[in-house]
Amino acid sequence: QVQLVESGGGSVQSGGSLRLSCAASGGAYARYSMAWFRQAPGKEREGVAAVNRAGFTSYSDSVKGRFTISQDNAKNTLILQMNSLKPEDTAMYSCAATPFQIGAASQLLAYLYNSWGQGTQVTVSS
């Protein structure tokens, strides 16, 4: 399995921005379907944004238009640019990966991913 390490979390005020990174290493495949998930205390894990092996991206309705997912293939890094942050975006953010192609309708389903990072905390204050 590929190893994933997230960074870039922190504390910001409402309306601010953060850029999360997920560094991938040790994988046996050239390309992966990858995604960002988040989980707030007392809430279920939620898929936030994903990009599949073909480069197709998906976003949850709650972040569409504010978050952008991208890949730096040269650095084997997944990036989540988060703008116009809201207090409800506060959560632990984790990246996930699978070597399999995932269809657009299923990209935000956690059970389809088999490698997970430890997470990075994002806190947005009002």
Side-chain angles (χ1 to χ4, degrees):
Q1 292 183 343
V2 63
Q3 285 75 53
L4 305 173
V5 179
E6 302 94 336
S7 62
S11 298
V12 295
Q13 290 190 328
S14 181
S17 299
L18 282 174
R19 182 182 175 93
L20 304 184
S21 296
C22 173
S25 62
Y29 297 88
R31 295 190 67 85
Y32 288 78
S33 295
M34 301 187 72
W36 287 97
F37 291 82
R38 68 185 181 187
Q39 189 166 20
K43 294 187 177 181
E44 292 187 357
R45 183 165 51 191
E46 174 191 16
V48 174
V51 54
N52 64 17
R53 286 172 52 118
F56 187 86
T57 58
S58 293
Y59 297 90
S60 67
D61 288 343
S62 61
V63 307
K64 199 172 295 183
R66 300 187 297 122
F67 292 10
T68 302
I69 190 170
S70 62
Q71 290 178 297
D72 184 338
N73 291 322
K75 297 181 179 179
N76 293 326
T77 300
L78 182 71
I79 297 167
L80 185 67
Q81 178 66 43
M82 306 186 295
N83 298 327
S84 303
L85 283 161
K86 305 175 181 180
E88 51 264 44
D89 294 318
T90 295
M92 180 71 75
Y93 284 70
S94 300
C95 66
T98 176
F100 302 106
Q101 171 67 347
I102 299 179
S106 303
Q107 285 181 275
L108 298 181
L109 298 177
Y111 74 90
L112 294 176
Y113 297 87
N114 59 3
S115 295
W116 291 81
Q118 293 297 311
T120 185
Q121 178 68 36
V122 172
T123 303
V124 185
S125 58
S126 58

